[in-house]
Amino acid sequence: MRYEIRVDGHMSETLTKAFPELDHVMMSGQTVLFGPVIDEAHLYGLLNRCQSLGLRVVEMRQLPE
């Protein structure tokens, strides 16, 4: 599965390194993290990582293969 997680604001390079398994782009005042997610536990782990870093997730969606 591939997912996209949109975070409010532009994440610094230091913050993006907290998500080594995902690629990222900056667009329209948001950071878009995207890439493969192994299973539901991995997805919840990514969301927990966002929360622990104080990031505001504005959208999350599964991408077509």
Side-chain angles (χ1 to χ4, degrees):
M1 297 181 291
R2 290 179 42 83
Y3 272 83
E4 174 184 282
I5 300 171
R6 289 183 176 260
V7 176
D8 193 28
H10 288 209
M11 291 172 56
S12 68
E13 280 301 312
T14 302
L15 279 177
T16 58
K17 288 180 182 175
F19 300 90
E21 67 270 63
L22 300 177
D23 292 318
H24 69 280
V25 295
M26 313 288 186
M27 56 185 351
S28 303
Q30 297 178 337
T31 302
V32 182
L33 302 166
F34 58 95
V37 175
I38 299 165
D39 56 19
E40 195 171 288
H42 184 207
L43 179 60
Y44 284 116
L46 292 169
L47 293 174
N48 282 334
R49 217 177 306 165
C50 288
Q51 183 179 23
S52 70
L53 293 169
L55 302 172
R56 182 173 167 263
V57 175
V58 294
E59 183 181 0
M60 177 192 73
R61 66 186 179 116
Q62 187 174 355
L63 299 171
E65 295 295 326

